[in-house]
Amino acid sequence: MVQDGLLPLYEQVRRKILSEIEAGRLAEGSFLPPELELCATYGVSRITLRRAVGELCAEGLLLRQQGRGTLVAPRKLQQTISLSGFSDVMEGQGHKAGHRIIEREDDADAPAIAARLVASRLVRFVRLLEMNDRPMTLEGLHFDAARFAQALDPVAAGKSFFATLRSAYGIEPAGAERLIDVGFARSSEADLLGVSTTEPVYRIEKLVLDGESRPLALSQTVTPCRLVTLAVKN
């Protein structure tokens, strides 16, 4: 086992901060003390402290908030980012899934997304995805209304898009391209999700493909970090 004295200073500080988090002395959702105070506590320079904090941020244990400081990331439940839709994931874990339509935009003006979906008539649904009647995720769902016309009414009625693909078209998702980022909730998002604008959120873009690598749908979701830890499953 490597002795602390043989570790780089930043790694020693990283471990000390981590132990404070694990012991609950640095509570989830709370901000770290000011840099100068931490430097004095650990007897290191700002450069060393920032390296240690940067490592913990990269691990997802700390989150930097511009103009406010660095906070301890909330503890999370595990959510698998699968090829299937929200309903499949939630119901597979024994939860009740719901889709509340916030907005519908036919002939959506989003050329870049239309091009990625090779869509001749792009439709966009903004949905609040609920778990056990509580808001969990805000989603912008895009698909080709010309290709999947039979999905329009079911999705508008709050049904699962992917369940409709199976029943109406016999299509199963076979692959996905994902982009995952962490940020903070915007005012409009915070209102719908019932969180504050200082709430850290996952922003996930998922392009789902069929067995021939043709795009089926593109979703852009916002989920409070405190609700989940993410695991990708193909």
Side-chain angles (χ1 to χ4, degrees):
M1 184 175 181
V2 179
Q3 298 179 1
D4 281 356
L6 301 179
L7 293 170
L9 267 179
Y10 79 85
E11 176 60 19
Q12 294 179 42
V13 175
R14 187 195 75 83
R15 293 189 180 194
K16 288 175 181 177
I17 295 175
L18 177 59
S19 69
E20 294 290 296
I21 294 172
E22 292 177 339
R25 289 186 288 271
L26 289 174
E28 60 180 281
S30 67
F31 284 90
L32 295 186
E35 273 192 353
L36 287 177
E37 183 179 329
L38 287 174
C39 288
T41 298
Y42 299 119
V44 296
S45 68
R46 281 189 172 186
I47 292 175
T48 299
L49 177 69
R50 288 173 181 174
R51 175 74 183 274
V53 169
E55 294 284 328
L56 291 167
C57 287
E59 295 171 39
L61 297 171
L62 297 177
L63 294 168
R64 285 194 176 98
Q65 185 174 354
Q66 188 172 2
R68 290 175 60 86
T70 303
L71 58 83
V72 179
R75 295 177 184 176
K76 308 149 191 174
L77 301 173
Q78 185 170 27
Q79 178 183 354
T80 299
I81 308 176
S82 70
L83 298 180
S84 303
F86 178 79
S87 294
D88 295 327
V89 174
M90 291 298 102
E91 291 170 3
Q93 297 178 9
H95 299 293
K96 175 186 174 184
H99 305 75
R100 180 148 59 92
I101 304 300
I102 305 299
E103 181 184 345
R104 173 177 175 172
E105 184 181 4
D106 292 298
D107 298 310
D109 184 17
I113 294 177
R116 292 179 66 186
L117 290 174
V118 197
S120 59
R121 186 162 64 91
L122 184 68
V123 64
R124 171 177 174 265
F125 287 93
V126 177
R127 309 190 295 179
L128 188 62
L129 308 183
E130 299 174 325
M131 179 181 70
N132 302 327
D133 298 319
R134 299 183 64 181
M136 181 172 182
T137 296
L138 185 63
E139 178 196 53
L141 173 68
H142 308 78
F143 60 90
D144 186 353
R147 181 183 176 194
F148 299 124
Q150 293 182 60
L152 290 171
D153 288 343
V155 172
K159 304 297 183 183
S160 165
F161 172 72
F162 288 104
T164 302
L165 285 191
R166 295 188 191 99
S167 61
Y169 298 95
I171 294 176
E172 288 282 352
E177 299 173 3
R178 305 174 182 88
L179 179 63
I180 303 173
D181 197 5
V182 176
F184 293 92
R186 302 185 184 106
S187 178
S188 59
E189 297 166 344
D191 289 343
L192 288 167
L193 290 168
V195 300
S196 73
T197 54
T198 59
E199 178 92 17
V201 295
Y202 285 115
R203 296 186 181 279
I204 303 172
E205 180 181 276
K206 182 169 71 170
L207 178 68
V208 182
L209 311 170
D210 66 15
E212 298 177 358
S213 296
R214 293 188 303 172
L216 297 172
L218 184 142
S219 66
Q220 296 170 325
T221 60
V222 180
T223 304
C225 292
R226 63 179 168 80
L227 294 181
V228 296
T229 184
L230 301 177
V232 177
K233 178 181 178 182
N234 287 315

